[in-house]
Amino acid sequence: ILQSGVESEGLQRRVELTIDLLKDEFASVHTLTAQGESSLAKVVSLVQNGDYISCLLAGLRGVDPMPVLRIDRLKSGLSQ
């Protein structure tokens, strides 16, 4: 779960409930909190780490992480 570190009380409660719902279905649930001083730095840190984790997990499953067909279709549709 990617977090900014400045979630409202209500949003933090949703995150906690989500973790409770997921923990019985998965071996583990991890949270990653944004790093950096500015909002931009925090967003970039989550994008970078999210991409890294996605590629790492794809590699562990033997999946090529580069083709993102849904995004390609979205871009194609938007360009028309």
Side-chain angles (χ1 to χ4, degrees):
I1 296 177
L2 303 177
Q3 295 189 277
S4 68
V6 293
E7 285 77 14
S8 67
E9 188 175 312
L11 184 55
Q12 185 57 40
R13 180 72 179 132
R14 286 179 186 218
V15 168
E16 291 167 4
L17 290 171
T18 301
I19 291 170
D20 285 342
L21 291 170
L22 296 175
K23 69 182 179 184
D24 292 335
E25 295 183 43
F26 297 94
S28 61
V29 178
H30 300 272
T31 60
L32 179 65
T33 303
Q35 301 295 308
E37 297 294 321
S38 69
S39 295
L40 178 60
K42 289 178 184 217
V43 168
V44 170
S45 78
L46 290 178
V47 169
Q48 180 182 19
N49 284 297
D51 283 352
Y52 174 75
I53 292 166
S54 176
C55 289
L56 179 65
L57 292 173
L60 291 172
R61 297 184 113 194
V63 175
D64 181 357
M66 293 308 294
V68 186
L69 302 177
R70 287 186 181 149
I71 292 176
D72 292 341
R73 287 195 301 258
L74 175 65
K75 288 178 182 179
S76 176
L78 291 172
S79 68
Q80 296 177 359

